[in-house]
Amino acid sequence: MIESILKKEKYNILDVRTKMECFIDNIEASVNIPLNQIPYHIEDVRAMQPVVIYCAAGVRSAQAVSFLKQEGLTEVYDGGGIDDLRQKLNK
């Protein structure tokens, strides 16, 4: 499913890792909103849809997607960990 989203022309990428993790390494053009800040940025994420969400290993991205879907967002997708998503983006 994520591969079909990444083939679209328009989507955004959201990094839910900490600011420090993002500073050390990130995917170009991604927006950083740490997982613990997501509840305060629901409308920002809503405006970013469709959005692919990633973290370090896939746990926090799955939590973010689950939470956002509970809040009614429909175009949020779990990109998994940074290395996995980077690999998919380079295909």
Side-chain angles (χ1 to χ4, degrees):
M1 172 105 177
I2 191 72
E3 287 83 1
S4 64
I5 300 304
L6 297 176
K7 289 180 183 175
K8 291 184 177 183
E9 283 186 30
K10 187 171 188 250
Y11 61 87
N12 291 292
I13 301 175
L14 175 61
D15 180 349
V16 294
R17 299 173 304 148
T18 66
K19 298 247 182 247
M20 182 57 74
E21 287 173 292
C22 185
F23 177 76
I24 293 168
D25 185 26
N26 63 72
I27 293 176
E28 187 175 335
S30 64
V31 174
N32 177 238
I33 303 175
L35 180 63
N36 66 347
Q37 296 297 308
I38 292 291
Y40 307 107
H41 293 276
I42 294 168
E43 293 308 314
D44 296 328
V45 179
R46 187 183 312 278
M48 293 172 64
Q49 294 182 97
V51 61
V52 175
I53 301 174
Y54 78 95
C55 62
V59 175
R60 289 174 283 180
S61 61
Q63 291 173 333
V65 167
S66 177
F67 173 77
L68 291 165
K69 285 186 175 183
Q70 289 175 6
E71 294 296 317
L73 280 73
T74 58
E75 292 186 275
V76 290
Y77 305 96
D78 189 355
I82 187 171
D83 293 334
D84 291 338
L85 182 56
R86 189 176 275 140
Q87 187 175 30
K88 289 173 186 166
L89 288 168
N90 290 330
K91 283 187 177 180

